[in-house]
Amino acid sequence: MFKYFKKSVLIASIALTLNGCAATQSIEPHPKGYETYVVQGDDFKHTSFSDINGKPVTLNDKKKLVILFATWCSDSKRTLRELKASPLITNQDIQIIGIGREESPESMAKFNQEFELPFALIADPERAIYQHYANKGIPRLILLDEQNKVVKTLIGEQANVIEKVIW
């Protein structure tokens, strides 16, 4: 019995050590346990994508707004409506990219029939992109500078988050 207990304690302590090293700590803990895996100054890990129509999308030399969202999420829908009503949507000095977490190209295309978003939409059905930037919580807004470095991250659960999109 004692051997079993010692072995369990050893395994648990190794697991805790590995988890602690592997996890990126958020600067400010979110009350819902959300973690953001990038901070100001980090390089954005993805610089090229294929949009929902199979066309290549490459991050350009402008400021960028990357929005991680889901088509079923009311906060995502509100944030996208606010974005469409803001001057950001027509600002030629900003590249906007929407990445649909756990979305297929088909679900994104259907969603865009209603929303008519004038920027590139990327499907991320397996969270292959999202998992590099956060553990949970959508919409996520990531502001990048001209060199694809993170300037700011926002969680868009509250109304008027678009007003906080300032480089």
Side-chain angles (χ1 to χ4, degrees), residues 61-141:
D61 59 355
K62 299 177 181 182
K63 295 175 185 173
K64 275 117 353 227
L65 172 58
V66 178
I67 304 171
L68 304 164
F69 73 100
T71 62
W72 52 264
C73 172
S74 60
D75 291 329
S76 292
K77 291 176 182 179
R78 185 196 60 251
T79 298
L80 292 170
R81 284 187 189 101
E82 290 173 2
L83 175 61
K84 279 187 66 176
S86 81
L88 295 170
I89 203 76
T90 57
N91 188 329
Q92 297 298 310
D93 297 324
I94 300 172
Q95 180 183 19
I96 302 172
I97 296 173
I99 300 174
R101 186 188 83 180
E102 297 174 9
E103 299 285 351
S104 68
E106 296 79 19
S107 68
M108 297 278 284
K110 183 178 177 184
F111 177 79
N112 205 32
Q113 287 175 352
E114 176 187 345
F115 274 76
E116 298 178 343
L117 300 170
F119 49 82
L121 295 175
I122 314 300
D124 187 19
E126 304 296 324
R127 287 190 182 204
I129 300 168
Y130 183 89
Q131 70 181 345
H132 292 277
Y133 304 104
N135 68 333
K136 59 184 177 176
I138 48 174
R140 294 284 187 139
L141 291 78

